[in-house]
Coordinates of all heavy atoms in Angstrom, one line a residue:
Chain A
W198 N 94.4 167.2 107.9 CA 94.8 168.0 106.7 C 95.6 167.2 105.8 O 95.7 167.3 104.5 CB 95.4 169.3 107.2 CG 95.9 170.1 106.0 CD1 97.1 170.3 105.6 CD2 95.1 170.8 105.2 NE1 97.1 171.1 104.6 CE2 95.8 171.4 104.3 CE3 93.6 171.0 105.2 CZ2 95.4 172.3 103.2 CZ3 93.1 171.9 104.2 CH2 93.9 172.5 103.2
F199 N 96.6 166.4 106.4 CA 97.6 165.7 105.6 C 96.9 164.5 104.9 O 97.4 164.0 103.9 CB 98.6 165.0 106.5 CG 99.7 166.0 106.9 CD1 99.7 166.4 108.2 CD2 100.6 166.5 106.0 CE1 100.7 167.3 108.7 CE2 101.5 167.4 106.5 CZ 101.6 167.8 107.8
N200 N 95.7 164.1 105.2 CA 95.1 163.0 104.6 C 94.1 163.6 103.3 O 93.3 162.8 103.0 CB 94.0 162.3 105.5 CG 95.0 161.6 106.6 OD1 96.0 161.3 106.4 ND2 94.3 161.6 107.8
G201 N 94.4 164.7 102.8 CA 93.7 165.1 101.6 C 92.6 166.1 102.0 O 92.8 166.8 103.0
S202 N 91.7 166.2 101.2 CA 90.7 167.4 101.4 C 89.7 166.8 102.4 O 88.6 166.2 102.0 CB 90.0 167.7 100.0 OG 90.9 167.4 98.9
P203 N 89.7 167.2 103.6 CA 88.8 166.7 104.6 C 87.4 167.3 104.4 O 86.5 166.6 104.9 CB 89.3 167.2 105.9 CG 90.3 168.3 105.6 CD 90.7 168.1 104.2
L204 N 87.2 168.3 103.7 CA 85.8 169.0 103.5 C 85.3 168.7 102.2 O 84.3 169.2 101.8 CB 86.0 170.5 103.8 CG 86.4 170.8 105.3 CD1 86.5 172.3 105.3 CD2 85.5 170.3 106.2
A205 N 85.8 167.8 101.5 CA 85.3 167.4 100.1 C 84.2 166.4 100.1 O 83.7 166.0 99.1 CB 86.4 167.0 99.2
R206 N 83.9 165.9 101.3 CA 82.9 164.8 101.3 C 81.5 165.2 101.6 O 81.2 166.0 102.6 CB 83.3 163.8 102.5 CG 84.8 163.3 102.4 CD 85.0 162.1 101.7 NE 84.0 161.1 102.1 CZ 84.1 159.8 101.6 NH1 85.0 159.5 100.8 NH2 83.2 158.9 102.1
A207 N 80.5 164.7 101.0 CA 79.1 165.1 101.0 C 78.7 164.8 102.5 O 77.9 165.6 103.1 CB 78.2 164.4 100.2
E208 N 79.1 163.8 103.1 CA 78.6 163.4 104.5 C 79.0 164.5 105.5 O 78.4 164.7 106.5 CB 79.3 162.1 105.0 CG 78.8 160.8 104.3 CD 79.8 160.5 103.2 OE1 80.5 161.4 102.7 OE2 79.9 159.3 102.9
V209 N 80.1 165.1 105.3 CA 80.5 166.1 106.3 C 79.6 167.3 106.2 O 79.1 167.8 107.3 CB 82.0 166.7 105.9 CG1 82.4 167.9 106.7 CG2 83.0 165.5 106.1
H210 N 79.1 167.5 105.0 CA 78.2 168.7 104.9 C 76.7 168.3 105.5 O 76.1 169.1 106.0 CB 78.1 169.3 103.6 CG 79.5 169.5 102.9 ND1 80.4 170.3 103.7 CD2 80.1 169.1 101.9 CE1 81.4 170.3 103.0 NE2 81.4 169.6 101.9
Q211 N 76.4 167.2 105.1 CA 75.0 166.6 105.7 C 75.0 166.5 107.2 O 74.2 166.9 107.8 CB 74.8 165.2 105.0 CG 74.6 165.3 103.5 CD 74.7 163.8 102.9 OE1 75.0 162.9 103.5 NE2 74.5 163.8 101.6
A212 N 76.2 166.0 107.7 CA 76.3 166.0 109.1 C 76.3 167.2 109.8 O 75.7 167.6 110.8 CB 77.5 165.2 109.5
T213 N 76.8 168.3 109.1 CA 76.9 169.7 109.6 C 75.4 170.2 109.7 O 75.0 170.7 110.8 CB 77.6 170.6 108.7 OG1 79.1 170.2 108.5 CG2 77.6 172.0 109.1
G214 N 74.6 169.9 108.7 CA 73.2 170.3 108.7 C 72.5 169.6 109.9 O 71.7 170.1 110.6
M215 N 72.8 168.2 110.0 CA 72.1 167.5 111.0 C 72.5 168.1 112.5 O 71.6 168.2 113.4 CB 72.4 166.0 111.0 CG 71.8 165.3 109.7 SD 72.2 163.7 109.5 CE 71.3 162.9 110.8
L216 N 73.8 168.2 112.7 CA 74.3 168.7 114.0 C 73.7 170.1 114.3 O 73.4 170.4 115.5 CB 75.8 168.8 113.9 CG 76.5 167.4 114.0 CD1 78.0 167.5 113.9 CD2 76.0 166.5 115.1

Side-chain angles (χ1 to χ4, degrees):
Chain A
W198 179 254
F199 283 110
N200 296 330
S202 333
L204 298 178
R206 310 266 312 187
E208 292 96 336
V209 171
H210 310 309
Q211 292 164 359
T213 298
M215 291 177 73
L216 294 175

